[in-house]
Amino acid sequence: MENGYKLSYLDNLESESIHVMREVFAEFEKPVLLYSIGKDSSVLLRLAQKAFYPGKIPFPLMHIDTSYKFVEMIDFRDKIPAKENVNLIVHKNDKYIKKRMHPSKFGMDKCCKFLKTKSLLDGLSSGGFDAALGGARREEERSRAKERIFSFRDQFGAWDPKNQRPELWSIYNARINPNESVRIFPLSNWTELDIWHYIKKENIEIVPLYFAKKRKIIRRDGLILLADQFNSPKEGEEVEEAMVRFRTLGCSPCSGAVESEADTLDKIIEEVMIAMNSERENRAIDYETDGSMEEKKKQGYF
């Protein structure tokens, strides 16, 4: 209770995230906000705007472009710099993109290693960034649940879950040695449902793929893939139309949709409230091998 005003649950989450962002700006020499174009990044962007209002966000955004993102995502991304008055860096691993690295040819783990992890590490290194803010949340996935808000990485960008610092009473240790860096997770204590409530509360624009509509799809290995320039039917598969939407967005060949009638924010919130599975259940990269996400994070993945 402050001045007779009782903070709501969302207000408290917002306040914590803004505090984290201001701490990062105060403690680190050159932070960057990793922008994935998804719903969590959209919330992160709004929080950064609030944290430094009325000034401009004092650090750039960086998007790691694998060249396999949905067309709707790239269209949405390209409007952000002018619309939100931010500096956006787009980083690609051109060497492996030119080799036409695709998960169906090289496997998802190898594709992710070169087009995401290596590209991210190269982008952070070339920019001289010592802190990278991102939209990961603890309840998304088991390895995410092990993360501190300030996640320390060694000189190779690797994460050791057994070598992290305690965070008591919201006090964050930002001391790092030369060549070390920190990944920052201001949304650590948020849930998927919190994200959607905040998007509605703040009237945040998001990629249309999150809303259900009739789309052309391919059913493959338990996933519903969008039939687009990255996904063509294999022998025995058919392209069909279905009412689907995406709970999480990544690369088109690895991101599955869910059958849904939720074409408004209210319907999405209602759907998430009764969902029994994590949104990342439809991300193939998390499950190619046992402990896949944790192993990727140890190699430098966000």
Side-chain angles (χ1 to χ4, degrees), residues 116-145:
K116 287 188 175 181
T117 302
K118 189 176 189 318
S119 185
L120 171 61
L121 294 175
D122 289 347
L124 294 176
S125 176
S126 63
F129 299 114
D130 56 354
L133 298 106
R137 311 185 318 269
R138 289 191 181 119
E139 50 85 62
E140 283 183 88
E141 189 268 343
R142 286 174 294 180
S143 66
R144 301 282 198 207

Side-chain angles (χ1 to χ4, degrees), residues 207-219:
V207 180
L209 289 166
Y210 284 114
F211 296 100
K213 65 178 276 189
K214 273 198 172 183
R215 294 183 167 96
K216 292 184 178 180
I217 62 162
I218 301 167
R219 299 181 189 272

Side-chain angles (χ1 to χ4, degrees), residues 57-80:
I57 297 174
F59 39 75
L61 278 62
M62 182 164 69
H63 176 236
I64 303 303
D65 191 347
T66 64
S67 78
Y68 291 121
K69 301 297 183 183
F70 296 98
V71 172
E72 292 92 336
M73 293 178 70
I74 301 303
D75 289 344
F76 188 90
R77 180 201 71 187
D78 291 344
K79 298 174 185 175
I80 289 295

Side-chain angles (χ1 to χ4, degrees), residues 40-139:
D40 301 294
S41 285
S42 294
V43 167
L44 210 58
L45 178 57
R46 176 59 55 85
L47 291 167
Q49 290 170 327
K50 286 193 167 191
F52 302 104
Y53 181 83
K56 182 180 177 181
I57 297 174
F59 39 75
L61 278 62
M62 182 164 69
H63 176 236
I64 303 303
D65 191 347
T66 64
S67 78
Y68 291 121
K69 301 297 183 183
F70 296 98
V71 172
E72 292 92 336
M73 293 178 70
I74 301 303
D75 289 344
F76 188 90
R77 180 201 71 187
D78 291 344
K79 298 174 185 175
I80 289 295
K83 182 173 179 288
E84 305 295 349
N85 189 28
V86 295
N87 175 22
L88 175 67
I89 301 166
V90 177
H91 190 84
K92 299 180 180 181
N93 188 338
D94 289 320
K95 176 182 176 181
Y96 282 89
I97 288 174
K98 288 176 182 177
K99 290 183 177 182
R100 300 184 180 276
M101 179 161 281
H102 189 282
S104 65
K105 182 178 179 182
F106 293 89
M108 278 175 282
D109 277 349
K110 190 172 182 179
C111 188
C112 185
K113 177 180 178 181
F114 288 104
L115 297 187
K116 287 188 175 181
T117 302
K118 189 176 189 318
S119 185
L120 171 61
L121 294 175
D122 289 347
L124 294 176
S125 176
S126 63
F129 299 114
D130 56 354
L133 298 106
R137 311 185 318 269
R138 289 191 181 119
E139 50 85 62

Side-chain angles (χ1 to χ4, degrees), residues 171-228:
I171 297 175
Y172 307 110
N173 188 336
R175 294 180 181 178
I176 55 174
N177 295 316
N179 299 319
E180 291 180 340
S181 63
V182 180
R183 309 288 172 85
I184 317 290
F185 303 104
L187 302 179
S188 288
N189 294 325
W190 295 56
T191 67
E192 182 187 8
L193 187 58
D194 296 331
I195 293 294
W196 283 113
H197 278 303
Y198 193 76
I199 287 170
K200 181 182 178 183
K201 174 179 176 287
E202 294 288 318
N203 193 29
I204 298 173
E205 187 177 359
I206 53 174
V207 180
L209 289 166
Y210 284 114
F211 296 100
K213 65 178 276 189
K214 273 198 172 183
R215 294 183 167 96
K216 292 184 178 180
I217 62 162
I218 301 167
R219 299 181 189 272
R220 178 180 303 159
D221 300 328
L223 292 180
I224 299 174
L225 300 177
L226 198 67
D228 57 12

